[in-house]
Amino acid sequence: MKTRRIGPFEVSAIGLGCMNLSHAYGTPPSRDEAAQVLDGALNGGITLFDTAALYGFGANEELLGDLLAPHRERIVLTSKCGMQGVNGVRVIDGRPETIRASVEASLKRLRTDVIDVLYLHRLDPQVGVEDSVGAMADLVRAGKARALGLSEVSATTLRRAHAVHPIAALQSEYSLWTRNPEIAALEACRELGTSFVAFSPLARGFLGGKLRDVSLLEPKDIRRAMPRFAPEHYAANLKLLDGFEAEAERLNCAPVTLALAWLLHQGEHIVPIPGTSKPEHLWALIVAARLQLDRATLGRLDALINRQTVSGARYSATTQTEIDTEEF
């Protein structure tokens, strides 16, 4: 496994986003299946594992704490504060006192005394980012976090936060079909020495090519509320897959491998964190770090799937109010 850097850490070029082991995409896998995914990731050379207080309302952190505790010294463990479940409801709360309490609870669930990269999951519009990051910086000084990150924020917010404490990583959605980071965030990260951690690098499963009928999504699958997965938009988006899969076939690789390789070629400071609930799918993710793409291939992919060719917004209007990223 090739490596890249996040702050003081050398991490695998492909990390593992662990959200879907407990949260978001319908019924999560069993504990045994989740254990197989995590073991397979470790055996495949993945060292970066990403979770959050929100995922499963703490269940995901507990799962990782139980299953990864024996491997704690060989992995980089990241989690997020500032958005969590309160009485069964998702709440964004970036107040310093809430952040402190949330991180204490996360440390217990994760069965560790320090979080390697602590992210602010969402910017609280009622709290200045300087105040939230200031509280997180206090946790670094207290030895409860080693580095800080932000999630789903703009380049302007990143710079404001970085003035308070160095920001090791900015995490946001980035893939062939979500290009918002190309507006300003990627360049801001380059300027500041901040790594860019790309979540949903497989377009929430779209680029895997297996989801052809969105009516089969479970009722609680969060994609049901995303415009791009609405039937009228998804029918248009499916037409993009034939060309994409043809490129993967030409390169003798899985579509997900090609999607991740494209991301890795966008900059040395980019670290994708795909997720999976199937251990048999891991190898196609891991080998993406080895796949070299020439300029002609990159050009064809860029022309095929981009913000002009994808139909529908990535978030609903309500969810869009909760994020701070640049929009086209």
Side-chain angles (χ1 to χ4, degrees):
M1 173 63 75
K2 294 182 178 180
T3 61
R4 294 193 167 184
R5 293 207 68 83
I6 295 179
F9 305 106
E10 184 176 14
V11 302
S12 52
I14 302 289
L16 186 69
C18 298
M19 178 181 74
N20 64 353
L21 297 179
S22 306
H23 184 88
Y25 297 135
T27 304
S30 68
R31 180 184 172 87
D32 286 345
E33 290 171 322
Q36 291 176 43
V37 170
L38 295 174
D39 286 343
L42 287 165
N43 292 334
I46 290 177
T47 60
L48 175 65
F49 293 83
D50 181 89
T51 183
L54 176 71
Y55 301 160
F57 289 2
N60 196 245
E61 288 183 325
E62 289 181 352
L63 178 72
L64 267 61
D66 290 344
L67 298 178
L68 294 180
H71 312 284
R72 183 66 184 90
E73 296 306 313
R74 58 183 279 214
I75 67 172
V76 174
L77 184 61
T78 77
S79 193
K80 308 177 193 74
C81 61
M83 184 163 67
Q84 58 192 323
V86 178
N87 298 322
V89 178
R90 186 187 64 166
V91 174
I92 296 173
D93 188 343
R95 292 175 297 171
E97 59 269 28
T98 303
I99 285 174
R100 287 190 289 268
S102 175
V103 171
E104 290 294 344
S106 290
L107 290 169
K108 291 178 182 178
R109 289 191 293 262
L110 291 166
R111 293 175 55 184
T112 187
D113 57 3
V114 62
I115 295 168
D116 294 319
V117 182
L118 175 66
Y119 290 93
L120 182 66
H121 204 158
R122 290 290 187 274
L123 177 66
D124 184 342
Q126 306 302 317
V127 180
V129 70
E130 293 85 356
D131 292 334
S132 296
V133 171
M136 295 162 68
D138 289 341
L139 292 168
V140 173
R141 287 185 281 271
K144 296 181 179 182
R146 292 192 170 108
L148 299 184
L150 302 173
S151 177
E152 292 278 63
V153 302
S154 65
T156 298
T157 299
L158 170 62
R159 290 189 172 94
R160 286 171 54 194
H162 194 77
V164 176
H165 187 280
I167 300 300
L170 171 59
Q171 185 172 143
S172 197
E173 183 175 357
Y174 188 30
S175 69
L176 275 163
W177 88 337
T178 295
R179 303 297 194 94
N180 303 64
E182 295 173 358
I183 300 172
L186 290 178
E187 184 56 35
C189 285
R190 289 189 188 96
E191 292 174 7
L192 298 174
T194 298
S195 299
F196 187 93
V197 176
F199 76 75
S200 296
L202 306 178
R204 299 186 184 275
F206 170 74
L207 292 172
K210 304 296 185 183
L211 180 61
R212 296 284 175 167
D213 186 353
V214 290
S215 70
L216 299 178
L217 293 175
E218 293 186 27
K220 293 185 178 181
D221 192 309
I222 63 171
R223 290 172 289 188
R224 283 191 171 273
M226 295 177 174
R228 288 180 185 175
F229 289 91
E232 64 274 18
H233 290 300
Y234 204 68
N237 291 328
L238 282 175
K239 296 176 182 178
L240 304 174
L241 282 179
D242 288 343
F244 180 69
E245 291 179 332
E247 288 291 333
E249 184 175 357
R250 184 181 64 82
L251 294 167
N252 194 31
C253 71
V256 295
T257 305
L258 180 58
L260 293 174
W262 177 86
L263 263 176
L264 290 169
H265 281 70
Q266 303 312 302
E268 289 294 321
H269 64 314
I270 296 172
V271 182
I273 51 167
T276 183
S277 59
K278 306 290 186 183
E280 61 269 24
H281 292 171
L282 279 168
W283 188 244
L285 309 181
I286 290 168
V287 297
R290 306 178 185 176
L291 182 60
Q292 293 297 312
L293 304 179
D294 59 29
R295 288 187 178 180
T297 300
L298 291 169
R300 286 192 296 272
L301 294 174
D302 279 330
L304 179 65
I305 305 177
N306 56 63
R307 72 182 184 91
Q308 284 85 17
T309 62
V310 172
S311 180
R314 72 179 180 116
Y315 283 138
S316 68
T318 298
T319 303
Q320 188 65 42
T321 64
E322 299 177 348
I323 64 171
D324 178 52
T325 56
E326 289 87 3
E327 300 299 317
F328 288 106

